[in-house]
Amino acid sequence: MSMLKRNEVPVEETWNLNDLFSSEEAYLEAIEEMKQLVEISAKQLPGTITDAKGAIAAIEATEKIQLKLVPIGTYASLSHSVDQTNTENQMRSAQFGSLAASIATKLSFVKSDLLALDEAILKEAQLLNPSYENYINKLLIQKPHQLHPEAEKALAAFGATFNAPYELYNTTKLVDMNFPNFEVDGEQFPLSYNLFEGDWELETDTKKRRAAFDAFSSKLREYQHTTAKTYNTHLKIEKTDADLRGYETIYDALLESQQVDRSMYDRQIDLIMNELAPHMRRYAKLLQKTHELDKMTFADLKISLDPSYEPTITVEESRQYMKDGLSIMGDDYIKMIDRSFDERWIDFAQNAGKSTGAFCSSPYGVHPYVLISWTSRMNEVFVLAHELGHAGHFYLANDAQNIYNARPSLYFIEAPSTMNEMLMANYLLQNSTDARFKRWVISSIISRTYYHNFVTHLLEAAYQRKVYDIIDAGGNVNAPKLNELKREVLEQFWGDTVEITEGAELTWMRQPHYYMGLYPYTYSAGLTISTQVSQRILNGDESAVGEWIEVLKAGGTKTPVELSKMAGVDITTEQPLRDTIAFIGNLVTQLEQLTEELQTV
């Protein structure tokens, strides 16, 4: 059995990109219209950005271009993400990268001229048009790090080139890397990135699961040096940019846009590495005992605590779970969920060349799009709830804010998504008294919500910090060094509870987040916030949901600290994180008790 090609999957399992552009011709027409807008701005704006009025006119002009650019870029990106083997998709994506770089080059003078203005003039501009206050505040933060206009223009021209490492990574992973079948007891089984991460990692047959892990790791290993060189190139680009702009460290450069300081970043990693580890080791031991495994290996960590119980679920059944589980968010939110199914905002199909994992893209002025590869496992309820959390966030923020104000800090971005996972879990727990079902839900919260966000991504963050320390000191990394660093982090967290199997050190090759700055740690940051807010809701705080909706509508008009405060959480202290770790520990204890009860029945 081989993976279906994109043109072989049922159309109802795919998303409808016609809401972006009705045809390829319409897409190309939009590009021409945007080019005309760019040419007009490039001719009319130079020399006019000298006072507050001129500043506002320039921001308005570039806003119109952004509104045109977003759906064009989204169309190119989403087309490519569902089939990266398709030559037309590859070329469209590459052409958009070149187009975006060309536009950035022609209009780089706008930002340079704005930042050349006195602070007093920019403050006056904020008074002239308060809707741009947030945008101008962010400009003021960047002001000390702005280069000479000609230097900025040159860097803008290299935009597509600077994005090349990420494109190379995806091409290696999803186009060049073809996995052969693997064999267990004389039987052949198919293997691909999506099949491994969606099925084989969760496989209950230990021989098949471990054989799949070995086969998967073997193929990764063949590409480790190319992937490491690609990653090192990306890191050097980030380091060079940080140095050119006069940042003291690469961390300062990457955290500036997140609107948090280094202490909040380090705290998230250090506390979880040290204080969550004992709870997760207990969970690993529970898995080993329940499955009667000879030893607990890295390849066994994703298995279900009670695999014989996990039900399957169809796409249509998942709709009702979304509506019931998230109904507390209100009627408008549920209408958004219905629309996402009825209007095909979601791509469920499994096909060759499709991006791994799941994500939500939320183009301003259209509607969100969700990518997921549906396996019919019940845990997909949590994955889909997560991505619809992103969708709901930007559905509300895009409606309430202008394009410059809609997107919040990366630090906060995962709070709405993980919030939905918590609401779904709470709903499932409240609607059953069956001990086995309750155990399945709690184990899903740990294995899906907390393991994925608080462990998998946090371990990525701890590893990423080691990498950036080397780069910041002027060093480089290669495959052996990256393998060494990843193994160090895994061994530190799991201790002697889990055998870090050969191949586990290659896990760094699987995550695209490393090409997105300091992203991995933000999952645990967001989940810390959402855990605390969901507890407010669960404990009957009648104002919690309404406050959370207002937080979502606020978009990027406030910092992560301010958004969290709106939701009743103070992330300037370590208490919310400590409370969340204690909450996870309590869940593990409940699992241990429920397992013991079920075994004595």
Side-chain angles (χ1 to χ4, degrees):
M1 176 185 164
S2 59
M3 289 287 284
L4 294 174
K5 294 179 180 178
R6 182 65 179 180
N7 60 10
E8 296 173 335
V9 299
V11 68
E12 61 269 18
E13 293 181 10
T14 66
W15 52 27
N16 177 21
L17 297 186
N18 287 343
D19 290 343
L20 288 163
F21 295 103
S22 58
S23 65
E24 189 73 16
E25 290 72 25
Y27 167 74
L28 295 173
E29 284 175 14
I31 290 177
E32 292 308 312
E33 290 173 8
M34 185 186 62
K35 284 180 178 178
Q36 290 174 17
L37 277 178
V38 171
E39 291 303 324
I40 291 170
S41 293
K43 287 178 181 176
Q44 293 182 351
L45 292 179
T48 66
I49 309 173
T50 56
D51 55 18
K53 190 175 179 182
I56 292 299
I59 296 171
E60 287 174 346
T62 50
E63 181 181 24
K64 289 176 183 176
I65 292 167
Q66 280 296 314
L67 290 170
K68 286 279 188 185
L69 187 64
V70 166
I72 293 170
T74 304
Y75 184 81
S77 172
L78 296 188
S79 300
H80 191 220
S81 68
V82 291
D83 187 3
Q84 300 199 31
T85 65
N86 182 288
T87 303
E88 185 180 334
N89 292 345
Q90 292 172 6
M91 293 305 296
R92 188 190 296 108
S93 179
Q95 286 164 356
F96 175 76
S98 299
L99 174 67
S102 171
I103 292 169
T105 304
K106 288 179 179 177
L107 297 180
S108 66
F109 74 89
V110 175
K111 189 175 178 183
S112 294
D113 287 0
L114 285 169
L115 288 170
L117 294 173
D118 288 340
E119 187 173 333
I121 294 176
L122 289 173
K123 293 286 188 184
E124 184 186 345
Q126 288 178 316
L127 295 175
L128 280 180
N129 191 333
S131 69
Y132 294 142
E133 180 180 358
N134 188 46
Y135 174 78
I136 293 173
N137 280 337
K138 290 177 180 177
L139 279 181
L140 289 167
I141 293 170
Q142 296 171 35
K143 196 172 172 63
H145 304 287
Q146 183 75 356
L147 303 177
H148 185 279
E150 288 303 314
E152 291 290 351
K153 185 176 182 178
L155 288 175
F158 277 102
T161 307
F162 292 154
N163 288 331
Y166 181 52
E167 297 297 327
L168 284 169
Y169 166 77
N170 277 320
T171 300
T172 302
K173 174 180 173 179
L174 298 170
V175 181
D176 285 346
M177 207 178 287
N178 291 310
F179 294 84
N181 291 348
F182 67 95
E183 185 177 312
V184 178
D185 294 335
E187 188 177 355
Q188 296 280 321
F189 298 94
L191 185 62
S192 70
Y193 241 106
N194 275 319
L195 282 174
F196 179 74
E197 295 188 342
D199 282 309
W200 293 121
E201 269 195 311
L202 314 173
E203 170 62 44
T204 55
D205 184 310
T206 301
K207 286 182 71 174
K208 291 179 185 176
R209 181 177 65 253
R210 291 179 179 175
F213 180 85
D214 290 342
F216 184 75
S217 299
S218 178
K219 179 56 68 173
L220 288 185
R221 193 173 288 108
E222 293 176 16
Y223 290 84
Q224 62 178 319
H225 298 293
T226 301
T227 307
K229 180 62 71 174
T230 299
Y231 182 39
N232 188 65
T233 302
H234 168 77
L235 293 165
K236 299 306 284 187
I237 290 170
E238 288 184 319
K239 171 63 174 169
T240 301
D241 187 69
D243 288 347
L244 281 174
R245 297 185 180 283
Y247 288 97
E248 190 172 332
T249 71
I250 197 168
Y251 296 101
D252 294 324
L254 294 172
L255 288 172
E256 183 181 84
S257 64
Q258 293 187 17
Q259 300 172 295
V260 295
D261 59 31
R262 179 72 187 271
S263 67
M264 290 174 69
Y265 166 75
D266 285 331
R267 180 178 72 205
Q268 204 70 25
I269 297 173
D270 294 335
L271 264 179
I272 295 176
M273 284 296 290
N274 294 325
E275 298 189 17
L276 181 64
H279 298 308
M280 295 311 297
R281 290 173 190 174
R282 282 196 294 134
Y283 176 66
K285 286 177 180 175
L286 182 61
L287 283 177
Q288 182 182 358
K289 180 182 177 182
T290 305
H291 284 266
E292 300 179 343
L293 299 175
D294 56 332
K295 57 184 177 181
M296 191 67 186
T297 76
F298 185 79
D300 303 320
L301 285 167
K302 295 287 186 74
I303 55 178
S304 170
L305 186 62
D306 190 355
S308 64
Y309 186 75
E310 180 162 344
T312 57
I313 183 172
T314 66
V315 166
E316 192 52 40
E317 286 169 342
S318 73
R319 179 206 289 243
Q320 197 57 48
Y321 273 102
M322 295 303 112
K323 292 174 66 174
D324 291 344
L326 303 175
S327 61
I328 196 168
M329 293 290 284
D331 291 343
D332 287 343
Y333 200 91
I334 299 307
K335 286 176 184 174
M336 182 273 297
I337 289 174
D338 270 331
R339 285 188 63 194
S340 73
F341 281 85
D342 293 336
E343 299 173 20
R344 288 175 41 219
W345 298 1
I346 309 169
D347 198 273
F348 293 98
Q350 283 221 37
N351 61 264
K354 185 174 179 178
S355 293
T356 59
F359 67 74
C360 176
S361 175
S362 301
Y364 191 91
V366 191
H367 60 68
Y369 282 93
V370 168
L371 178 141
I372 185 172
S373 293
W374 196 256
T375 64
S376 297
R377 293 176 185 269
M378 185 66 176
N379 72 352
E380 300 283 23
V381 163
F382 291 99
V383 181
L384 188 53
H386 178 104
E387 299 307 334
L388 286 173
H390 286 306
H393 184 192
F394 288 104
Y395 181 80
L396 293 169
N398 287 353
D399 184 59
Q401 307 295 339
N402 66 35
I403 194 169
Y404 291 127
N405 290 346
R407 194 167 188 83
S409 156
L410 199 61
Y411 186 94
F412 189 83
I413 212 83
E414 295 298 337
S417 54
T418 53
M419 175 66 164
N420 274 16
E421 292 190 56
M422 299 306 298
L423 293 178
M424 183 59 65
N426 290 339
Y427 163 76
L428 293 173
L429 287 173
Q430 288 172 351
N431 284 273
S432 178
T433 57
D434 180 76
R436 198 173 180 193
F437 182 75
K438 187 175 182 180
R439 184 176 72 158
W440 176 83
V441 174
I442 295 173
S443 66
S444 294
I445 301 171
I446 293 176
S447 64
R448 161 57 223 172
T449 303
Y450 285 108
Y451 187 98
H452 187 67
N453 300 300
F454 244 70
V455 180
T456 299
H457 290 318
L458 198 280
L459 294 183
E460 290 165 1
Y463 151 83
Q464 187 184 41
R465 185 170 61 175
K466 288 176 178 285
V467 172
Y468 275 120
D469 283 345
I470 292 172
I471 299 300
D472 211 37
N476 291 276
V477 290
N478 58 13
K481 188 62 181 178
L482 294 173
N483 291 340
E484 175 193 328
L485 296 176
K486 188 63 181 180
R487 179 170 284 276
E488 278 179 11
V489 169
L490 293 174
E491 289 176 344
Q492 178 189 342
F493 188 83
W494 292 111
D496 58 8
T497 302
V498 177
E499 179 183 303
I500 307 304
T501 334
E502 185 179 351
E505 73 280 359
L506 298 169
T507 308
W508 63 267
M509 294 178 65
R510 294 165 54 183
Q511 185 51 267
H513 290 161
Y514 298 135
Y515 296 83
M516 304 172 188
L518 298 176
Y519 189 11
Y521 91 103
T522 65
Y523 279 85
S524 63
L527 187 49
T528 299
I529 297 165
S530 61
T531 298
Q532 298 309 305
V533 178
S534 68
Q535 288 302 295
R536 286 183 62 199
I537 293 171
L538 184 62
N539 293 330
D541 187 333
E542 294 181 3
S543 63
V545 172
E547 289 172 1
W548 186 244
I549 294 291
E550 291 306 307
V551 167
L552 301 184
K553 289 179 179 179
T557 59
K558 298 182 183 299
T559 68
V561 169
E562 292 168 337
L563 289 170
S564 302
K565 191 174 182 180
M566 282 177 69
V569 183
D570 182 5
I571 58 170
T572 62
T573 75
E574 61 184 31
Q575 198 58 48
L577 181 52
R578 288 190 179 278
D579 288 346
T580 300
I581 291 171
F583 178 74
I584 299 169
N586 182 54
L587 289 177
V588 175
T589 300
Q590 288 184 59
L591 278 187
E592 291 170 332
Q593 293 169 346
L594 285 165
T595 300
E596 192 173 334
E597 285 175 24
L598 289 166
Q599 287 174 344
T600 56
V601 172

